[in-house]
Amino acid sequence: GVMEKLGLGPEVLLRENPRLIYARLTGFGQTGKYAKSAGHDINYLSLSGVLSKLGRKNENPYAPINLLADFAGGGVMCAMGIVIALFERARSGKGQVIDASMVKGVAYLSSFLWKSQHLGLWSQPRGENLLDSGAPFYETYRTSDGKFMAVGALEPQFYKQLIKGLGLNLDELPAQMSFSDWPEMKKKFASVFAQKTQAEWCSIFDSTDACVTPVLSFDDVASHQHNKIRSSFIKNDQGEVSPRPAPVLSRTPAVPSHKRDPFIGEHTVEILLEYGFTKQEIAKLYSDKVIEFKNPKANL
């Protein structure tokens, strides 16, 4: 209801321009019990059902920073809604309103969890299943230098290479899918991984199909050979590292900027002047706390 209070709700603006695509990105959505309540990523995750699936055995559910609901279920889903609406407008000539709720977005993002419930992937309690840290061959392990390796050897042919790289004998181990043996197998794998450094394990598993990779820190990720070849990370003119825009399009790839990120409000006046606002109107917007400047005295 915030935009309605400003007289800029979708009903008003769509009357002015029926082709307008109006995206409304919220946590709980435009309607419902929590529509007007404050919330954050962890709250939207909890209401979507996804949070109940995240966490290790005998531990509380945990939220993976704020990537899932805020950015994936919120930002990415909203952007996809805009693209869909643009595509539809090319046919109908009409705009529409996008109700992008983070609860709904992250719930839809988790469709695989719902559709695979009867496949045996999630039949056990949290932290005891194939992909949620229950399996010894889909887990992270600490190395002797305090770093970590990620293991994702799901298929039998990959599992064999994992066992070979660890220096174990497949014939002397329980069957890969012997669920009751998983806790002991995790202990065994952990003790083996703890005997070598991350670099030593990389020299063993690189160029194999064991699905074993280093868990890279932000400090190390840009210098890793694979990421360097792919130019996956870039530096700005102040030496700050960030990911290169993705996905990469063949004809019109994104051209990354190497300039520093703008300060909040740095270009507010410049953009509003471009769109025809007068300096007096801009000053009024600032005094009403509608907009923010980096340095209002220097700009007006």
Side-chain angles (χ1 to χ4, degrees), residues 110-123 131:
S110 72
S111 294
F112 166 70
L113 303 182
W114 294 88
K115 301 295 185 181
S116 62
Q117 285 184 99
H118 304 299
L119 299 180
L121 292 176
W122 313 105
S123 56
L131 302 176

Side-chain angles (χ1 to χ4, degrees), residues 233-244:
F233 295 84
I234 56 176
K235 281 186 179 181
N236 66 13
D237 51 16
Q238 295 186 328
E240 298 169 333
V241 178
S242 62
R244 180 178 289 270

Side-chain angles (χ1 to χ4, degrees), residues 4-70:
E4 281 79 1
K5 290 177 183 176
L6 297 171
L8 298 173
E11 294 81 5
V12 174
L13 297 188
L14 282 166
R15 279 200 302 269
E16 293 288 329
N17 180 6
R19 289 176 54 84
L20 183 68
I21 293 166
Y22 194 113
R24 313 200 79 168
L25 176 57
T26 60
F28 295 116
Q30 296 296 322
T31 58
K33 182 178 179 179
Y34 295 151
K36 296 184 182 299
S37 300
H40 281 294
D41 186 285
I42 194 170
N43 306 116
Y44 314 138
L45 271 183
S46 70
L47 208 62
S48 72
V50 175
L51 186 57
S52 70
K53 296 291 186 182
L54 305 178
R56 292 184 176 275
K57 180 181 178 181
N58 298 327
E59 293 184 9
N60 295 352
Y62 68 84
I65 317 180
N66 67 324
L67 293 175
L68 269 184
D70 282 353

Side-chain angles (χ1 to χ4, degrees), residues 96-115:
Q96 54 189 310
V97 180
I98 300 163
D99 181 356
S101 150
M102 294 183 196
V103 174
K104 274 190 175 183
V106 75
Y108 183 59
L109 196 67
S110 72
S111 294
F112 166 70
L113 303 182
W114 294 88
K115 301 295 185 181

Side-chain angles (χ1 to χ4, degrees), residues 78-93:
C78 183
M80 186 171 73
I82 293 170
V83 171
I84 292 169
L86 285 168
F87 181 77
E88 192 280 336
R89 189 178 71 180
R91 297 181 174 187
S92 68

Side-chain angles (χ1 to χ4, degrees), residues 142-154:
R142 185 184 291 270
T143 58
S144 64
D145 54 348
K147 297 181 180 181
F148 295 89
M149 298 297 290
V151 177
L154 291 172

